[in-house]
Structures are given as structure tokens and as C-alpha cells.
Amino acid sequence: GAVVSQHPSWVICKSGTSVKIECRSLDFQATTMFWYRQFPKQSLMLMATSNEGSKATYEQGVEKDKFLINHASLTLSTLTVTSAHPEDSSFYICSASLGIGNQPQHFGDGTRLSIL
Amino acid sequence: GENVEQHPSTLSVQEGDSAVIKCTYSDSASNYFPWYKQELGKRPQLIIDIRSNVGEKKDQRIAVTLNKTAKHFSLHITETQPEDSAVYFCAASPTGGSEKLVFGKGTKLTVNP
């Protein structure tokens, strides 16, 4: 149980393109999902907390107009990197939990984004 | 806010030896501490977790200990195998798994055959 699917797994696109990444909880409902960014050989840095039916909560230093998050249902959250530039190239990972009292977070497979 | 320190950053052991990774946290309100294993290019996978009402938890070759007074927790892997080689991350959450996690910087474990 607690499977999280993330799509696409790899994206290569030109500078200025907007890229949408989907995160789905396949066998459970997730009121809260999290989006992380991971640079090579570094730790996971939380970008934002995605709340179903309300606005996402962004961490300090993360541009909310650059990284648009939509959590329209209990099983789907999307992250859109708008007008992506080479410095946005990174590994983006989502996670979700059951959210019922101390449940662990389960991660998607991640999306490797490369902006040319 | 919470700050998690993790040591060592790299650890190399011989197959069959034990490996210990240590983490400290700053927020005394944190009460949930998971450990994740991440292989290159793959998702972090939860390997064990502990809550603040428990001092130790074991699952086969993996164990985690928690010292709330000192605000540190450790991962112990016994009888290491080459497939244990990966990057291990500790994390802390102020109010449990449904809240955000603050991760340590990771430990790259290499088990030499």
C-alpha cells in the first residue's frame, strides 16, 4: 500500500518552456502532499506543502509564481515550473502521506528536469 | 525552525561489519523521526521510523535509537551487505508524518565486499 506515482520521470526542454509534473497517490487519499527539490549529491529541500482544496504553503525563498502548485483532488497534486531556465534543472520529488496521525511520507520516483 | 545535523557524510565499511549514522535535531517539539534509503537516481524509501514515545526500534538488521533528552537519534545497520550501499537520510517532523519533514544532509554508505 501507500504507492505514490510521479510523472514524467524525465523531461528535457528548451529555456522558457513551462513544465508540469504530476504526483498521484494510487491507493490512498492524500490531503497533503509535499514537493521537494534535490540537487546532485545533496539532500532533499522542501519547496512547498500542497493542501487539497486550498493554496499551497511555500518555504522561504521559493517563488510561488515560478513554481505553481495545484492540489485539486485527494489523489493528485501538480507542480508547474513556469518559464523554466537552466538553473531550474534539478530532481523534483513529491511525497504524500495518509495524514492520519503520524503516518510516514511515501515518495514518488521523482522527475529529472533538464533545461537546455 | 527545525534543524537536523547528520554525521558522517560518508561511511565505508567492510561487508559484515556494522554501520552507525547519527543525527541531532534542534526542535524539542519534534516527535517523529524517519530514516530513508536512496539509491542513485531513485526515490527515497522509508526503512525505519521512530516516534518520541519509544527509545528504540528494531527491524531485522536495522535499528534506530532515540535520546529525547540529548535530541539525537541513530541508525544502526548490522551485518552489512553490498546492497546496503546507498545514501541514507534522517529526518525530523515536529508533529508527525503528516507534517513536513526536515532532512539531514545524508550519509553515503559504501559496503565493500
Side-chain angles (χ1 to χ4, degrees), chain B residues 4-69:
Chain B
V4 178
E5 298 284 340
Q6 183 171 347
H7 299 280
S9 57
T10 61
L11 178 60
S12 183
V13 299
Q14 289 299 122
E15 182 177 1
D17 288 349
S18 295
V20 180
I21 303 170
K22 299 181 179 181
C23 287
T24 60
Y25 60 99
S26 60
D27 188 351
S28 58
S30 292
N31 62 1
Y32 175 67
F33 308 92
W35 286 88
Y36 287 86
K37 174 184 179 182
Q38 187 180 29
E39 298 178 7
L40 188 63
K42 297 188 176 180
R43 73 173 78 187
Q45 291 190 310
L46 179 71
I47 56 172
I48 197 166
D49 57 10
I50 192 167
R51 292 169 175 80
S52 60
N53 59 345
V54 176
E56 183 175 358
K57 184 177 179 180
K58 189 175 181 180
D59 182 4
Q60 299 183 347
R61 297 186 297 109
I62 296 173
V64 56
T65 59
L66 171 64
N67 184 326
K68 284 184 62 180
T69 303

Side-chain angles (χ1 to χ4, degrees), chain A residues 38 43 102-103 105 107 109, chain B residues 36 38 43 51 96-97 99 104:
Chain A
Q38 186 176 34
S43 188
N102 293 342
Q103 295 296 320
Q105 290 184 25
F107 286 84
D109 279 329
Chain B
Y36 287 86
Q38 187 180 29
R43 73 173 78 187
R51 292 169 175 80
E99 298 291 330

Side-chain angles (χ1 to χ4, degrees), chain A residues 1-2 8-9 12-13 17 22 24 27 30 41 43 50 55 62 68 74 83-84 86 88 94 101 103-104 108:
Chain A
S9 57
I12 302 175
C13 57
T17 305
E22 294 185 348
R24 295 180 184 273
D27 52 358
K41 298 184 179 180
S43 188
S50 172
K55 291 183 179 180
V62 178
L68 300 178
L74 287 171
S83 187
D88 298 322
C94 70
Q103 295 296 320

Side-chain angles (χ1 to χ4, degrees), chain B residues 47-102:
Chain B
I47 56 172
I48 197 166
D49 57 10
I50 192 167
R51 292 169 175 80
S52 60
N53 59 345
V54 176
E56 183 175 358
K57 184 177 179 180
K58 189 175 181 180
D59 182 4
Q60 299 183 347
R61 297 186 297 109
I62 296 173
V64 56
T65 59
L66 171 64
N67 184 326
K68 284 184 62 180
T69 303
K71 289 189 284 188
H72 67 69
F73 55 112
S74 300
L75 177 71
H76 304 253
I77 306 175
T78 59
E79 300 173 26
T80 54
Q81 302 167 1
E83 50 266 37
D84 293 331
S85 297
V87 179
Y88 291 80
F89 292 99
C90 64
S93 176
T95 58
S98 61
E99 298 291 330
K100 65 182 183 181
L101 293 175
V102 177

